[in-house]
Amino acid sequence: MASAHGISLDVPTPDGVADAYLAHPDDGNPHPGVLLYPDAFGPRASVEDAAKRLAGHGYSVLVPNVLYRAGRAPVVDLPEFIDPSQRSDIFEQLGPLMKAHTPELAVRDAGAYLAWLAASPQVTDGPVGSVGYCMGGVLAVRTAAAHPERVAAAASFHGGHLVTDAPDSPHRLVDRVSGELYFGHADQDPSIPADQIAVLEQALDAAGVRYRSEVYEGAHHGFTQVDTAMYDAAAEDRHWRELLALFERTLGK
């Protein structure tokens, strides 16, 4: 794995400016672009570390603050380590902001993020990848569905609410995806129980999408997030193996 560095930057959007973080290999060469959507807690030190780790494998990784309309990251105060006793207070603040980030806004923002990657001299021409965690998993799928000509691969890890009753539920959009999809589910995740995983897989099968959908036994929602009590080292390692293999297959490295 090569060394990588990160910088903070701003991405113009139709609704303003999104603060973001770009991780890039230290070799100075352009690399395939990856759009990394963090969980609801947003960009922070642990997410930046993950972006640099991914960049070290040869990618230019853009991490946007998807809740930028509410302010620059962190949009709410976060402790260095998030334990269950703090989650309710944090989500009391984040909940309305997440609800306000509608699918329409998410897709509009995705276009701006992809446009930034396309214009960056640090990103090669060609397809990009997308990966998301928790709420970011939904955003990764929406991005792949809205921009099939640009997104060659998208991955969702412990993504919640991928199956809903809404007409624009993520599982209803997979027939628009042309790239490969990967889903890493936690089996201890009330936001996507086993019956909803089955519905998602039925939709993927019906759409003829290239995909893998796997349940990580014993893992909880948020298993990749090292600064939370949900972290599971074995599940995180598995997530890295699958994510890197996906991008190696699809991004022409």
Side-chain angles (χ1 to χ4, degrees):
M1 187 172 70
S3 61
H5 67 280
I7 59 170
S8 297
L9 51 85
D10 289 336
V11 176
T13 77
D15 297 328
V17 174
D19 52 304
Y21 180 83
L22 178 72
H24 187 269
D26 287 332
D27 60 12
N29 297 319
H31 292 272
V34 172
L35 179 55
L36 188 158
Y37 288 112
D39 61 2
F41 300 132
R44 56 197 189 278
S46 62
V47 176
E48 293 174 359
D49 288 345
K52 284 189 286 189
R53 179 172 177 175
L54 182 55
H57 289 273
Y59 303 99
S60 293
V61 185
L62 181 67
V63 184
N65 168 24
V66 302
L67 300 180
Y68 69 89
R69 293 174 181 84
R72 300 180 74 85
V75 296
V76 302
D77 290 334
L78 296 172
E80 290 187 10
F81 184 81
I82 303 167
D83 64 43
S85 68
Q86 300 161 314
R87 291 178 69 90
S88 61
D89 289 340
I90 295 172
F91 276 102
E92 187 175 349
Q93 302 172 67
L94 285 176
L97 306 182
M98 296 165 62
K99 187 175 181 180
H101 190 58
T102 63
E104 179 186 8
L105 295 180
V107 169
R108 196 154 73 217
D109 288 345
Y113 305 146
L114 293 176
W116 190 94
L117 287 171
S120 173
Q122 294 172 303
V123 179
T124 56
D125 294 334
V128 302
S130 184
V131 56
Y133 302 87
C134 301
M135 70 170 282
V138 169
L139 300 179
V141 173
R142 290 195 186 281
T143 299
H147 299 275
E149 77 290 350
R150 289 280 287 131
V151 180
S156 166
F157 293 95
H158 44 82
H161 309 295
L162 291 163
V163 175
T164 73
D165 293 331
D168 60 355
S169 170
H171 82 287
R172 302 185 197 279
L173 306 177
V174 295
D175 60 348
R176 306 177 190 179
V177 174
S178 62
E180 184 176 348
L181 299 177
Y182 180 87
F183 297 89
H185 308 288
D187 71 348
Q188 307 293 314
D189 191 346
S191 67
I192 184 162
D195 60 335
Q196 292 187 7
I197 293 174
V199 171
L200 172 64
E201 293 174 350
Q202 290 167 7
L204 291 161
D205 288 336
V209 181
R210 288 174 296 145
Y211 81 94
R212 288 176 62 193
S213 174
E214 300 181 322
V215 176
Y216 289 28
E217 293 184 7
H220 293 262
H221 181 79
F223 60 77
T224 62
Q225 305 303 296
V226 300
D227 58 350
T228 76
M230 302 296 110
Y231 176 64
D232 183 312
E236 189 214 12
D237 286 347
R238 179 179 175 183
H239 131 273
W240 278 114
R241 290 194 300 270
E242 296 297 344
L243 181 63
L244 292 172
L246 173 69
F247 287 161
E248 286 171 5
R249 287 194 300 271
T250 56
L251 297 186
K253 281 189 73 271

